[in-house]
């Protein structure tokens, strides 16, 4: 069976599975719509949490980023995994004991203010919408490559699938659908990794294959990769860092606390019966997440060396990588390159007209590399490889069976759809439950609230689809900004709400707004969004990364510090919280008892 037909069958079967589960488990009450009735078993909730958390960024982009960045890409592994541990240990059990549906509702009740809840809704919407852009864009890329449709059509189909199982199923339908999506995505990620590890090292365990010797070559895989990339002018794979040490530290911290502050992940801990179950499901989720995250470095390194081998014949021990016969003729390029060229994510530009694909770092400061390249007639690197294709193209590069390639297509789509559904439910809940129910129409019936939630979900899907088709410049290509926004706005408020019984509503609101504002300001200033007619773009911060060399994607941690600082300063000059709120905070931190999630009591 040809690849295209097989891909249609595999992806179509997974879609049928998701829709079938959604109709089987559709929500019939607000408790089921917002929190799956609070009755999801811990193991299944752990799988759903893993699928919710491992987005298209984890499945599609992370290994690609590590492959391009080398050692420096490890900050994504440390930041995202460390953030989940932070969430599981410091936040999840206490929020579950509080017994509310959503993060804004927790903030509104803890800080005894509907205004605080509304500010939290604003922060949630900004973070979630920024994050969902990447998911819908990822859906479009996967569809355009594997199903032979345009990127725009891919986004429309993705919207229809999410609409079917999220609008009708709510959290209950999404939870059980995400269990199925986790199974699909983890098999899609690990099976190709096992195949490729066997091909390159003879070891079927990718995590061990990463440190093993390569078959048919002297030395370990990592040593060979280091030699190859440095000879081509790239930084050494095993030591290169992402910018300065300070930026790498702040970037990692921003990802950590941003992960802990993302509302769609936090909501997963309201779906289990007890506080003990919340802790148990957190542990299971970490196990399920670790399978992918410990495999990612091996996928990254093996994909990089396979790519270099294809273009530069890089695994032969004595090859001169700049010799004419060491580079690939464009007319002889393999089929996988032809297919990915159609997506625009892989591009070739013949700068010297010799018909060969010459791939090296033409921005290197290594004079020896430049001298060799120029002597060989090279006039600049001619191949552009988008990091997002590394995982999806890896099985094709390695010439794996068609069923493996089709499985990877289904896995990439599952990762994007699972997180998109969680984000959209968080947005829908914020609108229907935290704005309509708690602010504008407190007497609305349960049936009316459920209908409002479904309309809000449908509206959210339309907005997410539009942003996926027309991504704003500041958010295109990265979800790190969403983590920075969550880190700077929601995480400090949640932490202070749980661990500081003296923090009042004025301090919390001032902190959230200041953290959100300064982070968005730094991001917008870098992305050229401050434009004045007649004068061009206005430089308001003194050039790129002007704040101690910190990149905008890493600035969320600085925004969080501002949030904490402003909150405590305002708290000192305003009225302390009421006595009953202080007792409430103490009772939430007491590690005994549990409250059923019904969204009505504190």
């Amino acid at each position: 069976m040809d690849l295209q037909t097989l891909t249609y069958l595999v992806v179509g079967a997974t879609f049928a599975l998701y829709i079938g589960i959604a109709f089987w488990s559709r929500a019939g009450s607000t408790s089921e719509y917002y929190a799956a009735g609070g009755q999801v078993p811990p193991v299944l909730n752990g799988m759903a949490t893993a699928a919710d958390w491992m987005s298209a960024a984890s499945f599609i982009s992370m290994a690609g980023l590590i492959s391009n960045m080398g050692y420096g890409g490890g900050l994504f592994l440390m930041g995202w995994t460390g953030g989940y541990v932070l969430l599981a240990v410091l936040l999840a059990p206490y929020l579950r004991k509080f017994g509310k549906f959503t993060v804004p509702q927790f903030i509104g009740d803890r800080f005894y203010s509907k205004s605080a809840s509304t500010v939290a809704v604003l922060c949630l919407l900004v973070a979630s919408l920024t994050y969902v852009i990447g998911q819908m864009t990822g859906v479009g890329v996967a569809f355009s490559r594997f199903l032979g449709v345009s990127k725009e059509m891919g986004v429309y189909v993705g919207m229809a699938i999410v609409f079917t199982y999220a609008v009708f199923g709510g959290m209950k339908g999404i939870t059980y659908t995400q269990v199925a999506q986790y199974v699909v995505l983890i098999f899609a990620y690990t099976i190709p990794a096992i195949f490729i590890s066997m091909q390159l090292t003879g070891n079927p365990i990718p995590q061990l294959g990463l440190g093993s010797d390569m078959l048919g070559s002297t030395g370990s895989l990592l040593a060979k990769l280091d030699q190859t990339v440095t000879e081509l002018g790239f930084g050494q794979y095993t030591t290169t860092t992402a910018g300065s040490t300070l930026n790498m530290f702040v970037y990692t911290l921003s990802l950590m606390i941003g992960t802990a502050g993302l509302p769609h992940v936090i909501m997963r801990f309201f779906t289990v019966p007890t506080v003990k179950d919340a802790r148990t499901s957190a542990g299971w989720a970490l196990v399920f997440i670790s399978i992918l995250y410990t495999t990612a470095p091996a996928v990254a390194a093996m994909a990089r060396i396979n790519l270099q081998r294809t273009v530069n014949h890089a695994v032969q021990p004595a090859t001169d990588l700049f010799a004419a016969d060491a580079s690939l003729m464009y007319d002889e390029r393999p089929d996988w390159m032809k297919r990915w060229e159609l997506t625009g994510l892989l591009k070739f530009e013949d700068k010297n007209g010799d018909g060969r694909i010459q791939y090296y770092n033409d921005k290197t400061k290594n004079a020896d590399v430049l001298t060799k390249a120029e002597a060989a007639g090279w006039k600049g690197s001619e191949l552009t490889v988008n990091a997002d294709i590394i995982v999806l193209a890896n099985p094709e590069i390695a010439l794996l069976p068609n069923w493996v390639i089709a499985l990877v297509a289904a896995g990439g789509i599952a990762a994007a759809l699972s997180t998109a559904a969680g984000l959209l439910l968080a947005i829908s809940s914020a609108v229907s439950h935290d704005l309509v129910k708690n602010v504008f129409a407190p007497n609305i019936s349960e049936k009316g609230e459920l209908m409002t939630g479904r309309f809000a979900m449908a509206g959210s899907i339309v907005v997410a689809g539009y942003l996926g088709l027309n991504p704003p410049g500041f958010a295109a290509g990265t979800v790190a900004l969403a983590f920075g926004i969550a880190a700077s706005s929601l995480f400090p408020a949640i932490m202070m709400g749980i661990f500081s019984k003296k923090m009042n509503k004025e301090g919390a609101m001032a902190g959230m707004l200041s953290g959100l504002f300064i982070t968005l300001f730094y991001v917008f200033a870098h992305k050229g969004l401050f434009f004045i007619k007649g004068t061009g773009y206005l430089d308001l911060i003194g050039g790129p990364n002007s704040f101690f060399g910190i990149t905008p994607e890493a600035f969320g941690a600085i925004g969080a510090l501002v949030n904490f600082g402003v909150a405590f300063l305002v708290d000192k000059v305003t009225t302390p919280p009421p006595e009953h709120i202080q007792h409430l905070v103490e009772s939430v931190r007491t590690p005994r008892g549990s409250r059923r999630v019904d969204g009505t009591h504190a």
Side-chain angles (χ1 to χ4, degrees):
M1 188 180 296
D2 67 275
L3 175 60
Q4 194 68 62
T5 302
L6 189 59
T7 303
Y8 274 119
L9 289 175
V10 172
V11 174
T14 61
F15 284 173
L17 176 64
Y18 304 154
I19 294 171
I21 291 173
F23 278 102
W24 166 74
S25 57
R26 59 187 179 274
S29 67
T30 54
S31 178
E32 290 181 340
Y33 187 83
Y34 293 126
Q39 295 300 310
V40 180
V43 176
L44 294 183
N45 196 59
M47 294 178 76
T49 303
D52 204 355
W53 185 70
M54 291 190 296
S55 65
S58 293
F59 188 97
I60 297 175
S61 298
M62 183 174 63
L65 290 167
I66 298 172
S67 184
N68 282 356
M69 298 168 65
Y71 172 78
L75 67 88
F76 295 97
L77 289 170
M78 294 184 292
W80 284 333
T81 309
Y84 180 78
V85 175
L86 194 66
L87 169 63
V89 173
L90 286 183
L91 302 183
Y94 303 112
L95 290 172
R96 171 60 190 84
K97 187 176 181 183
F98 197 82
K100 295 296 182 180
F101 287 142
T102 67
V103 170
Q105 193 178 4
F106 164 77
I107 290 176
D109 285 8
R110 162 57 185 88
F111 295 110
Y112 51 99
S113 169
K114 290 183 178 180
S115 297
S117 176
T118 303
V119 171
V121 169
L122 171 65
C123 298
L124 182 151
L125 292 177
V126 174
S128 297
L129 284 173
T130 303
Y131 199 180
V132 82
I133 294 168
Q135 310 312 310
M136 299 309 292
T137 303
V139 169
V141 169
F143 269 105
S144 66
R145 163 60 192 87
F146 291 105
L147 299 185
V149 298
S150 68
K151 178 182 174 181
E152 290 74 16
M153 180 58 68
V155 172
Y156 291 136
V157 175
M159 289 168 62
I161 298 295
V162 173
F163 180 90
T164 301
Y165 72 77
V167 171
F168 295 105
M171 178 61 88
K172 186 178 179 182
I174 287 172
T175 295
Y176 292 106
T177 302
Q178 285 174 335
V179 171
Q181 287 168 332
Y182 174 78
V183 174
V184 172
L185 75 87
I186 205 65
F187 275 104
Y189 202 86
T190 55
I191 287 175
I194 292 169
F195 270 91
I196 295 169
S197 182
M198 282 289 292
Q199 280 184 352
L200 293 178
T201 68
N203 194 319
I205 304 174
Q207 293 89 335
L208 300 180
L210 180 62
S212 301
D213 289 344
M214 287 191 66
L215 296 176
S217 181
T218 57
S220 69
L221 184 148
L222 285 175
K224 185 62 184 178
L225 185 53
D226 267 343
Q227 176 189 350
T228 300
V229 296
T230 51
E231 285 182 13
L232 290 169
F234 299 99
Q236 190 169 3
Y237 191 84
T238 55
T239 60
T240 302
T241 59
S244 67
T245 302
L246 173 63
N247 186 67
M248 191 166 180
F249 171 78
V250 175
Y251 205 149
T252 305
L253 181 60
S254 180
L255 292 174
M256 282 182 64
I257 62 178
T259 298
L262 283 173
H264 73 290
V265 179
I266 293 172
M267 288 177 67
R268 290 246 53 95
F269 296 100
F270 301 150
T271 63
V272 292
T274 66
V275 174
K276 180 182 177 181
D277 289 334
R279 292 192 177 97
T280 303
S281 71
W284 277 111
L286 191 57
V287 170
F288 295 132
I289 290 167
S290 67
I291 296 172
L292 188 147
Y293 269 58
T294 57
T295 307
V299 171
M302 293 173 186
R304 180 70 177 269
I305 205 159
N306 269 336
L307 177 64
Q308 300 287 178
R309 177 171 61 176
T310 299
V311 179
N312 301 107
H313 311 300
V315 294
Q316 299 306 317
T319 297
D320 178 359
L321 298 181
F322 291 94
D325 61 357
S327 56
L328 179 70
M329 291 295 296
Y330 180 71
D331 290 341
E332 298 173 1
R333 68 195 186 283
D335 289 340
W336 72 265
M337 293 186 74
K338 297 175 184 177
R339 291 192 290 261
W340 279 102
E341 278 183 296
L342 297 176
T343 68
L345 298 177
L346 186 145
K347 299 176 183 177
F348 169 68
E349 180 187 359
D350 194 0
K351 295 181 178 178
N352 62 1
D354 67 353
R356 295 184 178 275
I357 302 175
Q358 291 144 350
Y359 181 46
Y360 73 108
N361 181 16
D362 50 11
K363 297 180 178 61
T364 182
K365 296 180 181 178
N366 187 324
D368 184 51
V369 171
L370 291 175
T371 299
K372 286 182 178 181
E374 290 168 0
W378 294 22
K379 295 184 178 179
S381 185
E382 297 174 344
L383 188 68
T384 302
V385 183
N386 189 295
D388 285 348
I389 80 169
I390 291 297
V391 170
L392 297 179
N394 204 13
E396 297 177 86
I397 299 173
L399 303 177
L400 297 187
N402 283 348
W403 68 267
V404 178
I405 299 172
L407 183 61
V408 170
I413 294 169
L417 291 179
S418 62
T419 302
L423 289 164
L424 291 166
L425 184 64
I427 295 169
S428 167
S429 301
V431 173
S432 64
H433 194 66
D434 299 315
L435 285 182
V436 176
K437 168 77 173 174
N438 290 343
V439 178
F440 298 115
N443 296 321
I444 191 173
S445 66
E446 180 173 348
K447 183 178 180 180
E449 185 183 352
L450 186 60
M451 185 60 66
T452 302
R454 284 175 169 151
F455 276 118
M457 173 70 78
S460 301
I461 291 172
V462 172
V463 172
Y466 174 80
L467 292 173
L469 294 168
N470 305 280
F474 74 90
T478 180
V479 298
L481 297 174
F483 284 84
I485 292 167
S488 63
S489 58
L490 293 172
F491 175 78
I494 298 170
M495 284 290 291
M496 291 183 290
I498 294 172
F499 295 102
S500 174
K501 65 181 183 180
K502 297 293 186 181
M503 178 55 61
N504 62 16
K505 62 182 179 181
E506 291 85 1
M509 287 189 288
M512 284 189 287
L513 290 172
S514 59
L516 177 66
F517 172 78
I518 196 168
T519 302
L520 292 179
F521 175 82
Y522 195 73
V523 169
F524 287 169
H526 271 82
K527 301 301 179 180
L529 297 186
F530 291 109
F531 183 81
I532 298 178
K533 188 174 182 180
T535 61
Y537 293 108
L538 184 61
D539 183 3
L540 299 176
I541 57 174
N545 308 335
S546 57
F547 189 79
F548 298 101
I550 294 173
T551 59
E553 293 83 1
F555 198 77
I558 306 301
L561 289 177
V562 171
N563 187 328
F564 278 116
V566 170
F568 280 106
L569 284 174
V570 173
D571 176 67
K572 293 297 182 184
V573 297
T574 49
T575 307
E579 197 70 25
H580 74 277
I581 294 295
Q582 298 185 42
H583 290 312
L584 171 65
V585 175
E586 289 182 346
S587 70
V588 167
R589 292 214 306 266
T590 301
R592 288 179 297 140
S594 172
R595 293 174 177 150
R596 182 171 299 280
V597 174
D598 59 15
T600 61
H601 60 270

